[in-house]
PDB file of all heavy atoms in Angstrom:
ATOM      1  N   ALA A   1      -4.849   0.993   7.398  1.00  0.00           N
ATOM      2  CA  ALA A   1      -3.925   0.945   6.265  1.00  0.00           C
ATOM      3  C   ALA A   1      -3.666  -0.489   5.823  1.00  0.00           C
ATOM      4  O   ALA A   1      -3.672  -0.799   4.628  1.00  0.00           O
ATOM      5  CB  ALA A   1      -2.609   1.639   6.650  1.00  0.00           C
ATOM      6  N   GLY A   2      -3.438  -1.389   6.776  1.00  0.00           N
ATOM      7  CA  GLY A   2      -3.177  -2.778   6.420  1.00  0.00           C
ATOM      8  C   GLY A   2      -4.354  -3.424   5.721  1.00  0.00           C
ATOM      9  O   GLY A   2      -4.193  -4.165   4.744  1.00  0.00           O
ATOM     10  N   ALA A   3      -5.556  -3.162   6.204  1.00  0.00           N
ATOM     11  CA  ALA A   3      -6.749  -3.730   5.582  1.00  0.00           C
ATOM     12  C   ALA A   3      -6.993  -3.122   4.209  1.00  0.00           C
ATOM     13  O   ALA A   3      -7.467  -3.801   3.294  1.00  0.00           O
ATOM     14  CB  ALA A   3      -7.961  -3.518   6.488  1.00  0.00           C
ATOM     15  N   GLN A   4      -6.667  -1.844   4.040  1.00  0.00           N
ATOM     16  CA  GLN A   4      -6.818  -1.217   2.727  1.00  0.00           C
ATOM     17  C   GLN A   4      -5.891  -1.869   1.709  1.00  0.00           C
ATOM     18  O   GLN A   4      -6.293  -2.154   0.573  1.00  0.00           O
ATOM     19  CB  GLN A   4      -6.537   0.282   2.840  1.00  0.00           C
ATOM     20  CG  GLN A   4      -7.614   1.047   3.588  1.00  0.00           C
ATOM     21  CD  GLN A   4      -7.256   2.495   3.832  1.00  0.00           C
ATOM     22  OE1 GLN A   4      -6.244   2.994   3.353  1.00  0.00           O
ATOM     23  NE2 GLN A   4      -8.090   3.195   4.605  1.00  0.00           N
ATOM     24  N   ARG A   5      -4.667  -2.126   2.126  1.00  0.00           N
ATOM     25  CA  ARG A   5      -3.731  -2.785   1.206  1.00  0.00           C
ATOM     26  C   ARG A   5      -4.234  -4.178   0.841  1.00  0.00           C
ATOM     27  O   ARG A   5      -4.217  -4.589  -0.337  1.00  0.00           O
ATOM     28  CB  ARG A   5      -2.343  -2.846   1.844  1.00  0.00           C
ATOM     29  CG  ARG A   5      -1.288  -3.527   0.966  1.00  0.00           C
ATOM     30  CD  ARG A   5      -1.217  -5.004   1.264  1.00  0.00           C
ATOM     31  NE  ARG A   5      -0.310  -5.718   0.368  1.00  0.00           N
ATOM     32  CZ  ARG A   5      -0.368  -7.018   0.144  1.00  0.00           C
ATOM     33  NH1 ARG A   5      -1.300  -7.761   0.710  1.00  0.00           N
ATOM     34  NH2 ARG A   5       0.493  -7.590  -0.663  1.00  0.00           N
ATOM     35  N   ASP A   6      -4.713  -4.941   1.833  1.00  0.00           N
ATOM     36  CA  ASP A   6      -5.194  -6.295   1.560  1.00  0.00           C
ATOM     37  C   ASP A   6      -6.435  -6.273   0.684  1.00  0.00           C
ATOM     38  O   ASP A   6      -6.631  -7.154  -0.156  1.00  0.00           O
ATOM     39  CB  ASP A   6      -5.493  -7.013   2.873  1.00  0.00           C
ATOM     40  CG  ASP A   6      -4.228  -7.404   3.620  1.00  0.00           C
ATOM     41  OD1 ASP A   6      -3.130  -7.291   3.038  1.00  0.00           O
ATOM     42  OD2 ASP A   6      -4.331  -7.811   4.798  1.00  0.00           O
ATOM     43  N   TRP A   7      -7.287  -5.281   0.861  1.00  0.00           N
ATOM     44  CA  TRP A   7      -8.483  -5.131   0.027  1.00  0.00           C
ATOM     45  C   TRP A   7      -8.090  -4.907  -1.427  1.00  0.00           C
ATOM     46  O   TRP A   7      -8.664  -5.496  -2.348  1.00  0.00           O
ATOM     47  CB  TRP A   7      -9.301  -3.970   0.587  1.00  0.00           C
ATOM     48  CG  TRP A   7     -10.448  -3.503  -0.231  1.00  0.00           C
ATOM     49  CD1 TRP A   7     -11.688  -4.074  -0.318  1.00  0.00           C
ATOM     50  CD2 TRP A   7     -10.491  -2.331  -1.064  1.00  0.00           C
ATOM     51  NE1 TRP A   7     -12.496  -3.324  -1.150  1.00  0.00           N
ATOM     52  CE2 TRP A   7     -11.783  -2.254  -1.613  1.00  0.00           C
ATOM     53  CE3 TRP A   7      -9.562  -1.341  -1.374  1.00  0.00           C
ATOM     54  CZ2 TRP A   7     -12.175  -1.223  -2.469  1.00  0.00           C
ATOM     55  CZ3 TRP A   7      -9.956  -0.322  -2.227  1.00  0.00           C
ATOM     56  CH2 TRP A   7     -11.239  -0.270  -2.759  1.00  0.00           C
ATOM     57  N   LEU A   8      -7.089  -4.062  -1.652  1.00  0.00           N
ATOM     58  CA  LEU A   8      -6.606  -3.832  -3.012  1.00  0.00           C
ATOM     59  C   LEU A   8      -6.000  -5.099  -3.592  1.00  0.00           C
ATOM     60  O   LEU A   8      -6.225  -5.453  -4.747  1.00  0.00           O
ATOM     61  CB  LEU A   8      -5.577  -2.695  -3.007  1.00  0.00           C
ATOM     62  CG  LEU A   8      -6.126  -1.306  -2.667  1.00  0.00           C
ATOM     63  CD1 LEU A   8      -5.001  -0.357  -2.295  1.00  0.00           C
ATOM     64  CD2 LEU A   8      -6.934  -0.755  -3.837  1.00  0.00           C
ATOM     65  N   ALA A   9      -5.220  -5.800  -2.754  1.00  0.00           N
ATOM     66  CA  ALA A   9      -4.571  -7.021  -3.224  1.00  0.00           C
ATOM     67  C   ALA A   9      -5.570  -8.132  -3.524  1.00  0.00           C
ATOM     68  O   ALA A   9      -5.307  -9.013  -4.340  1.00  0.00           O
ATOM     69  CB  ALA A   9      -3.564  -7.499  -2.181  1.00  0.00           C
ATOM     70  N   ALA A  10      -6.731  -8.088  -2.860  1.00  0.00           N
ATOM     71  CA  ALA A  10      -7.749  -9.110  -3.082  1.00  0.00           C
ATOM     72  C   ALA A  10      -8.500  -8.921  -4.398  1.00  0.00           C
ATOM     73  O   ALA A  10      -9.348  -9.737  -4.736  1.00  0.00           O
ATOM     74  CB  ALA A  10      -8.744  -9.115  -1.916  1.00  0.00           C
ATOM     75  N   GLY A  11      -8.192  -7.859  -5.148  1.00  0.00           N
ATOM     76  CA  GLY A  11      -8.791  -7.686  -6.462  1.00  0.00           C
ATOM     77  C   GLY A  11      -9.319  -6.310  -6.757  1.00  0.00           C
ATOM     78  O   GLY A  11      -9.773  -6.047  -7.873  1.00  0.00           O
ATOM     79  N   ALA A  12      -9.248  -5.399  -5.764  1.00  0.00           N
ATOM     80  CA  ALA A  12      -9.774  -4.058  -5.973  1.00  0.00           C
ATOM     81  C   ALA A  12      -8.728  -3.083  -6.486  1.00  0.00           C
ATOM     82  O   ALA A  12      -9.027  -1.911  -6.698  1.00  0.00           O
ATOM     83  CB  ALA A  12     -10.372  -3.519  -4.676  1.00  0.00           C
ATOM     84  N   GLY A  13      -7.495  -3.554  -6.694  1.00  0.00           N
ATOM     85  CA  GLY A  13      -6.439  -2.660  -7.139  1.00  0.00           C
ATOM     86  C   GLY A  13      -5.354  -3.385  -7.899  1.00  0.00           C
ATOM     87  O   GLY A  13      -5.372  -4.612  -8.054  1.00  0.00           O
ATOM     88  N   THR A  14      -4.382  -2.612  -8.375  1.00  0.00           N
ATOM     89  CA  THR A  14      -3.254  -3.124  -9.145  1.00  0.00           C
ATOM     90  C   THR A  14      -1.958  -2.707  -8.459  1.00  0.00           C
ATOM     91  O   THR A  14      -1.793  -1.537  -8.092  1.00  0.00           O
ATOM     92  CB  THR A  14      -3.273  -2.564 -10.582  1.00  0.00           C
ATOM     93  OG1 THR A  14      -4.530  -2.893 -11.194  1.00  0.00           O
ATOM     94  CG2 THR A  14      -2.135  -3.121 -11.413  1.00  0.00           C
ATOM     95  N   ARG A  15      -1.041  -3.632  -8.285  1.00  0.00           N
ATOM     96  CA  ARG A  15       0.267  -3.320  -7.697  1.00  0.00           C
ATOM     97  C   ARG A  15       1.099  -2.568  -8.734  1.00  0.00           C
ATOM     98  O   ARG A  15       1.189  -2.956  -9.905  1.00  0.00           O
ATOM     99  CB  ARG A  15       0.981  -4.620  -7.288  1.00  0.00           C
ATOM    100  CG  ARG A  15       2.370  -4.443  -6.682  1.00  0.00           C
ATOM    101  CD  ARG A  15       2.295  -4.149  -5.216  1.00  0.00           C
ATOM    102  NE  ARG A  15       3.636  -4.011  -4.630  1.00  0.00           N
ATOM    103  CZ  ARG A  15       4.296  -4.998  -4.029  1.00  0.00           C
ATOM    104  NH1 ARG A  15       3.739  -6.213  -3.935  1.00  0.00           N
ATOM    105  NH2 ARG A  15       5.486  -4.790  -3.507  1.00  0.00           N
ATOM    106  N   ILE A  16       1.713  -1.467  -8.304  1.00  0.00           N
ATOM    107  CA  ILE A  16       2.457  -0.589  -9.201  1.00  0.00           C
ATOM    108  C   ILE A  16       3.935  -0.584  -8.816  1.00  0.00           C
ATOM    109  O   ILE A  16       4.272  -0.377  -7.639  1.00  0.00           O
ATOM    110  CB  ILE A  16       1.909   0.853  -9.121  1.00  0.00           C
ATOM    111  CG1 ILE A  16       0.402   0.873  -9.431  1.00  0.00           C
ATOM    112  CG2 ILE A  16       2.669   1.782 -10.054  1.00  0.00           C
ATOM    113  CD1 ILE A  16       0.034   0.374 -10.806  1.00  0.00           C
ATOM    114  N   PRO A  17       4.842  -0.801  -9.760  1.00  0.00           N
ATOM    115  CA  PRO A  17       6.271  -0.740  -9.431  1.00  0.00           C
ATOM    116  C   PRO A  17       6.678   0.681  -9.025  1.00  0.00           C
ATOM    117  O   PRO A  17       6.159   1.663  -9.577  1.00  0.00           O
ATOM    118  CB  PRO A  17       6.960  -1.142 -10.743  1.00  0.00           C
ATOM    119  CG  PRO A  17       5.902  -1.834 -11.536  1.00  0.00           C
ATOM    120  CD  PRO A  17       4.606  -1.182 -11.157  1.00  0.00           C
ATOM    121  N   PRO A  18       7.568   0.828  -8.062  1.00  0.00           N
ATOM    122  CA  PRO A  18       8.055   2.166  -7.696  1.00  0.00           C
ATOM    123  C   PRO A  18       8.603   2.896  -8.916  1.00  0.00           C
ATOM    124  O   PRO A  18       9.294   2.315  -9.758  1.00  0.00           O
ATOM    125  CB  PRO A  18       9.157   1.865  -6.675  1.00  0.00           C
ATOM    126  CG  PRO A  18       8.757   0.553  -6.075  1.00  0.00           C
ATOM    127  CD  PRO A  18       8.154  -0.231  -7.202  1.00  0.00           C
ATOM    128  N   GLY A  19       8.270   4.160  -9.027  1.00  0.00           N
ATOM    129  CA  GLY A  19       8.675   4.959 -10.168  1.00  0.00           C
ATOM    130  C   GLY A  19       7.613   5.078 -11.234  1.00  0.00           C
ATOM    131  O   GLY A  19       7.721   5.918 -12.125  1.00  0.00           O
ATOM    132  N   GLN A  20       6.560   4.237 -11.140  1.00  0.00           N
ATOM    133  CA  GLN A  20       5.470   4.285 -12.116  1.00  0.00           C
ATOM    134  C   GLN A  20       4.165   4.764 -11.496  1.00  0.00           C
ATOM    135  O   GLN A  20       3.100   4.651 -12.103  1.00  0.00           O
ATOM    136  CB  GLN A  20       5.277   2.909 -12.755  1.00  0.00           C
ATOM    137  CG  GLN A  20       6.488   2.426 -13.547  1.00  0.00           C
ATOM    138  CD  GLN A  20       6.242   1.097 -14.232  1.00  0.00           C
ATOM    139  OE1 GLN A  20       5.102   0.740 -14.535  1.00  0.00           O
ATOM    140  NE2 GLN A  20       7.311   0.347 -14.470  1.00  0.00           N
ATOM    141  N   GLU A  21       4.233   5.309 -10.285  1.00  0.00           N
ATOM    142  CA  GLU A  21       3.022   5.760  -9.610  1.00  0.00           C
ATOM    143  C   GLU A  21       2.428   6.982 -10.298  1.00  0.00           C
ATOM    144  O   GLU A  21       3.121   7.721 -10.998  1.00  0.00           O
ATOM    145  CB  GLU A  21       3.301   6.072  -8.132  1.00  0.00           C
ATOM    146  CG  GLU A  21       4.330   7.158  -7.896  1.00  0.00           C
ATOM    147  CD  GLU A  21       5.742   6.613  -7.730  1.00  0.00           C
ATOM    148  OE1 GLU A  21       6.018   5.497  -8.237  1.00  0.00           O
ATOM    149  OE2 GLU A  21       6.569   7.303  -7.116  1.00  0.00           O
ATOM    150  N   ARG A  22       1.127   7.172 -10.091  1.00  0.00           N
ATOM    151  CA  ARG A  22       0.389   8.297 -10.652  1.00  0.00           C
ATOM    152  C   ARG A  22      -0.365   9.015  -9.521  1.00  0.00           C
ATOM    153  O   ARG A  22      -0.547   8.454  -8.439  1.00  0.00           O
ATOM    154  CB  ARG A  22      -0.641   7.814 -11.682  1.00  0.00           C
ATOM    155  CG  ARG A  22      -0.073   7.092 -12.885  1.00  0.00           C
ATOM    156  CD  ARG A  22      -1.229   6.612 -13.757  1.00  0.00           C
ATOM    157  NE  ARG A  22      -0.794   5.784 -14.868  1.00  0.00           N
ATOM    158  CZ  ARG A  22      -1.616   5.101 -15.661  1.00  0.00           C
ATOM    159  NH1 ARG A  22      -2.931   5.177 -15.456  1.00  0.00           N
ATOM    160  NH2 ARG A  22      -1.152   4.364 -16.642  1.00  0.00           N
ATOM    161  N   PRO A  23      -0.831  10.237  -9.779  1.00  0.00           N
ATOM    162  CA  PRO A  23      -1.655  10.911  -8.781  1.00  0.00           C
ATOM    163  C   PRO A  23      -2.863  10.056  -8.397  1.00  0.00           C
ATOM    164  O   PRO A  23      -3.516   9.466  -9.261  1.00  0.00           O
ATOM    165  CB  PRO A  23      -2.091  12.201  -9.481  1.00  0.00           C
ATOM    166  CG  PRO A  23      -0.986  12.475 -10.453  1.00  0.00           C
ATOM    167  CD  PRO A  23      -0.556  11.123 -10.948  1.00  0.00           C
ATOM    168  N   GLY A  24      -3.139   9.982  -7.100  1.00  0.00           N
ATOM    169  CA  GLY A  24      -4.258   9.186  -6.601  1.00  0.00           C
ATOM    170  C   GLY A  24      -3.881   7.795  -6.154  1.00  0.00           C
ATOM    171  O   GLY A  24      -4.668   7.129  -5.475  1.00  0.00           O
ATOM    172  N   ASP A  25      -2.687   7.309  -6.538  1.00  0.00           N
ATOM    173  CA  ASP A  25      -2.234   6.001  -6.066  1.00  0.00           C
ATOM    174  C   ASP A  25      -1.995   6.047  -4.555  1.00  0.00           C
ATOM    175  O   ASP A  25      -1.791   7.116  -3.961  1.00  0.00           O
ATOM    176  CB  ASP A  25      -0.949   5.584  -6.770  1.00  0.00           C
ATOM    177  CG  ASP A  25      -1.164   5.223  -8.238  1.00  0.00           C
ATOM    178  OD1 ASP A  25      -2.336   5.118  -8.658  1.00  0.00           O
ATOM    179  OD2 ASP A  25      -0.161   5.055  -8.960  1.00  0.00           O
ATOM    180  N   LEU A  26      -1.993   4.884  -3.946  1.00  0.00           N
ATOM    181  CA  LEU A  26      -1.749   4.768  -2.513  1.00  0.00           C
ATOM    182  C   LEU A  26      -0.417   4.085  -2.268  1.00  0.00           C
ATOM    183  O   LEU A  26      -0.079   3.097  -2.927  1.00  0.00           O
ATOM    184  CB  LEU A  26      -2.870   3.969  -1.841  1.00  0.00           C
ATOM    185  CG  LEU A  26      -4.279   4.579  -1.917  1.00  0.00           C
ATOM    186  CD1 LEU A  26      -5.299   3.624  -1.304  1.00  0.00           C
ATOM    187  CD2 LEU A  26      -4.317   5.921  -1.208  1.00  0.00           C
ATOM    188  N   ILE A  27       0.344   4.623  -1.314  1.00  0.00           N
ATOM    189  CA  ILE A  27       1.622   4.018  -0.928  1.00  0.00           C
ATOM    190  C   ILE A  27       1.510   3.573   0.520  1.00  0.00           C
ATOM    191  O   ILE A  27       1.065   4.333   1.393  1.00  0.00           O
ATOM    192  CB  ILE A  27       2.793   4.998  -1.080  1.00  0.00           C
ATOM    193  CG1 ILE A  27       2.826   5.582  -2.494  1.00  0.00           C
ATOM    194  CG2 ILE A  27       4.107   4.299  -0.754  1.00  0.00           C
ATOM    195  CD1 ILE A  27       3.956   6.580  -2.717  1.00  0.00           C
ATOM    196  N   PHE A  28       1.903   2.339   0.790  1.00  0.00           N
ATOM    197  CA  PHE A  28       1.836   1.745   2.120  1.00  0.00           C
ATOM    198  C   PHE A  28       3.235   1.380   2.600  1.00  0.00           C
ATOM    199  O   PHE A  28       4.064   0.919   1.809  1.00  0.00           O
ATOM    200  CB  PHE A  28       0.989   0.463   2.089  1.00  0.00           C
ATOM    201  CG  PHE A  28      -0.417   0.652   1.600  1.00  0.00           C
ATOM    202  CD1 PHE A  28      -0.721   0.530   0.249  1.00  0.00           C
ATOM    203  CD2 PHE A  28      -1.439   0.936   2.494  1.00  0.00           C
ATOM    204  CE1 PHE A  28      -2.027   0.686  -0.201  1.00  0.00           C
ATOM    205  CE2 PHE A  28      -2.744   1.101   2.047  1.00  0.00           C
ATOM    206  CZ  PHE A  28      -3.043   0.974   0.703  1.00  0.00           C
ATOM    207  N   TRP A  29       3.479   1.563   3.896  1.00  0.00           N
ATOM    208  CA  TRP A  29       4.734   1.060   4.477  1.00  0.00           C
ATOM    209  C   TRP A  29       4.529   0.711   5.941  1.00  0.00           C
ATOM    210  O   TRP A  29       3.541   1.080   6.568  1.00  0.00           O
ATOM    211  CB  TRP A  29       5.881   2.037   4.272  1.00  0.00           C
ATOM    212  CG  TRP A  29       5.728   3.424   4.854  1.00  0.00           C
ATOM    213  CD1 TRP A  29       5.781   3.790   6.167  1.00  0.00           C
ATOM    214  CD2 TRP A  29       5.573   4.633   4.097  1.00  0.00           C
ATOM    215  NE1 TRP A  29       5.657   5.146   6.294  1.00  0.00           N
ATOM    216  CE2 TRP A  29       5.525   5.698   5.045  1.00  0.00           C
ATOM    217  CE3 TRP A  29       5.479   4.937   2.742  1.00  0.00           C
ATOM    218  CZ2 TRP A  29       5.388   7.038   4.662  1.00  0.00           C
ATOM    219  CZ3 TRP A  29       5.322   6.262   2.372  1.00  0.00           C
ATOM    220  CH2 TRP A  29       5.285   7.289   3.305  1.00  0.00           C
ATOM    221  N   ASP A  30       5.489  -0.046   6.480  1.00  0.00           N
ATOM    222  CA  ASP A  30       5.434  -0.430   7.886  1.00  0.00           C
ATOM    223  C   ASP A  30       5.884   0.736   8.748  1.00  0.00           C
ATOM    224  O   ASP A  30       6.669   1.584   8.328  1.00  0.00           O
ATOM    225  CB  ASP A  30       6.322  -1.650   8.142  1.00  0.00           C
ATOM    226  CG  ASP A  30       7.780  -1.418   7.791  1.00  0.00           C
ATOM    227  OD1 ASP A  30       8.096  -1.319   6.583  1.00  0.00           O
ATOM    228  OD2 ASP A  30       8.601  -1.319   8.712  1.00  0.00           O
ATOM    229  N   SER A  31       5.358   0.779   9.977  1.00  0.00           N
ATOM    230  CA  SER A  31       5.770   1.832  10.907  1.00  0.00           C
ATOM    231  C   SER A  31       5.640   1.322  12.330  1.00  0.00           C
ATOM    232  O   SER A  31       6.320   0.381  12.720  1.00  0.00           O
ATOM    233  CB  SER A  31       4.966   3.119  10.677  1.00  0.00           C
ATOM    234  OG  SER A  31       3.581   2.904  10.876  1.00  0.00           O
ATOM    235  N   TYR A  32       4.706   1.886  13.099  1.00  0.00           N
ATOM    236  CA  TYR A  32       4.631   1.610  14.532  1.00  0.00           C
ATOM    237  C   TYR A  32       4.109   0.218  14.867  1.00  0.00           C
ATOM    238  O   TYR A  32       4.233  -0.227  16.018  1.00  0.00           O
ATOM    239  CB  TYR A  32       3.739   2.667  15.203  1.00  0.00           C
ATOM    240  CG  TYR A  32       2.275   2.505  14.892  1.00  0.00           C
ATOM    241  CD1 TYR A  32       1.398   1.932  15.810  1.00  0.00           C
ATOM    242  CD2 TYR A  32       1.761   2.906  13.665  1.00  0.00           C
ATOM    243  CE1 TYR A  32       0.063   1.767  15.513  1.00  0.00           C
ATOM    244  CE2 TYR A  32       0.434   2.760  13.366  1.00  0.00           C
ATOM    245  CZ  TYR A  32      -0.422   2.186  14.292  1.00  0.00           C
ATOM    246  OH  TYR A  32      -1.740   2.025  13.977  1.00  0.00           O
ATOM    247  N   LEU A  33       3.518  -0.507  13.924  1.00  0.00           N
ATOM    248  CA  LEU A  33       2.966  -1.829  14.201  1.00  0.00           C
ATOM    249  C   LEU A  33       3.987  -2.941  14.033  1.00  0.00           C
ATOM    250  O   LEU A  33       3.632  -4.115  14.099  1.00  0.00           O
ATOM    251  CB  LEU A  33       1.762  -2.094  13.285  1.00  0.00           C
ATOM    252  CG  LEU A  33       0.502  -1.296  13.611  1.00  0.00           C
ATOM    253  CD1 LEU A  33      -0.577  -1.543  12.566  1.00  0.00           C
ATOM    254  CD2 LEU A  33      -0.021  -1.650  14.997  1.00  0.00           C
ATOM    255  N   GLY A  34       5.256  -2.591  13.847  1.00  0.00           N
ATOM    256  CA  GLY A  34       6.282  -3.609  13.695  1.00  0.00           C
ATOM    257  C   GLY A  34       6.630  -3.873  12.241  1.00  0.00           C
ATOM    258  O   GLY A  34       5.964  -3.381  11.321  1.00  0.00           O
ATOM    259  N   PRO A  35       7.671  -4.677  12.018  1.00  0.00           N
ATOM    260  CA  PRO A  35       8.198  -4.855  10.660  1.00  0.00           C
ATOM    261  C   PRO A  35       7.326  -5.691   9.739  1.00  0.00           C
ATOM    262  O   PRO A  35       7.546  -5.678   8.529  1.00  0.00           O
ATOM    263  CB  PRO A  35       9.543  -5.548  10.903  1.00  0.00           C
ATOM    264  CG  PRO A  35       9.353  -6.278  12.200  1.00  0.00           C
ATOM    265  CD  PRO A  35       8.471  -5.398  13.029  1.00  0.00           C
ATOM    266  N   ASN A  36       6.339  -6.413  10.281  1.00  0.00           N
ATOM    267  CA  ASN A  36       5.538  -7.303   9.443  1.00  0.00           C
ATOM    268  C   ASN A  36       4.135  -6.773   9.169  1.00  0.00           C
ATOM    269  O   ASN A  36       3.305  -7.485   8.611  1.00  0.00           O
ATOM    270  CB  ASN A  36       5.418  -8.681  10.098  1.00  0.00           C
ATOM    271  CG  ASN A  36       6.755  -9.370  10.229  1.00  0.00           C
ATOM    272  OD1 ASN A  36       7.640  -9.174   9.399  1.00  0.00           O
ATOM    273  ND2 ASN A  36       6.924 -10.156  11.267  1.00  0.00           N
ATOM    274  N   ALA A  37       3.856  -5.547   9.567  1.00  0.00           N
ATOM    275  CA  ALA A  37       2.510  -5.003   9.407  1.00  0.00           C
ATOM    276  C   ALA A  37       2.563  -3.596   8.827  1.00  0.00           C
ATOM    277  O   ALA A  37       3.413  -2.791   9.205  1.00  0.00           O
ATOM    278  CB  ALA A  37       1.786  -4.981  10.762  1.00  0.00           C
ATOM    279  N   ILE A  38       1.652  -3.322   7.914  1.00  0.00           N
ATOM    280  CA  ILE A  38       1.530  -1.975   7.355  1.00  0.00           C
ATOM    281  C   ILE A  38       0.946  -1.056   8.414  1.00  0.00           C
ATOM    282  O   ILE A  38      -0.060  -1.385   9.048  1.00  0.00           O
ATOM    283  CB  ILE A  38       0.657  -1.997   6.094  1.00  0.00           C
ATOM    284  CG1 ILE A  38       1.409  -2.699   4.957  1.00  0.00           C
ATOM    285  CG2 ILE A  38       0.251  -0.586   5.673  1.00  0.00           C
ATOM    286  CD1 ILE A  38       0.556  -3.019   3.757  1.00  0.00           C
ATOM    287  N   GLY A  39       1.566   0.095   8.595  1.00  0.00           N
ATOM    288  CA  GLY A  39       1.111   1.036   9.605  1.00  0.00           C
ATOM    289  C   GLY A  39       0.859   2.432   9.088  1.00  0.00           C
ATOM    290  O   GLY A  39       0.403   3.291   9.847  1.00  0.00           O
ATOM    291  N   HIS A  40       1.150   2.689   7.804  1.00  0.00           N
ATOM    292  CA  HIS A  40       0.936   4.041   7.289  1.00  0.00           C
ATOM    293  C   HIS A  40       0.549   3.968   5.816  1.00  0.00           C
ATOM    294  O   HIS A  40       0.966   3.069   5.074  1.00  0.00           O
ATOM    295  CB  HIS A  40       2.204   4.884   7.435  1.00  0.00           C
ATOM    296  CG  HIS A  40       1.955   6.359   7.256  1.00  0.00           C
ATOM    297  ND1 HIS A  40       1.183   7.090   8.115  1.00  0.00           N
ATOM    298  CD2 HIS A  40       2.362   7.233   6.287  1.00  0.00           C
ATOM    299  CE1 HIS A  40       1.141   8.360   7.721  1.00  0.00           C
ATOM    300  NE2 HIS A  40       1.839   8.466   6.608  1.00  0.00           N
TER     301      HIS A  40
END
């Protein structure tokens, strides 16, 4: 999940403000890997 987010941020995707998401978008958040890492 963390690498997928970084891949999108490196130019393969567009950051979307909450509330403007569409079907097929990806949502990332931290979980079991601690507060500084995306885990889901």
Side-chain angles (χ1 to χ4, degrees):
Q4 289 173 6
R5 180 269 175 201
D6 287 350
W7 171 80
L8 293 163
T14 303
R15 179 84 179 265
I16 304 299
Q20 297 183 26
E21 60 267 24
R22 299 177 186 171
D25 289 350
L26 298 176
I27 306 179
F28 302 90
W29 60 73
D30 59 289
S31 61
Y32 72 102
L33 288 175
N36 297 328
I38 290 169
H40 195 65

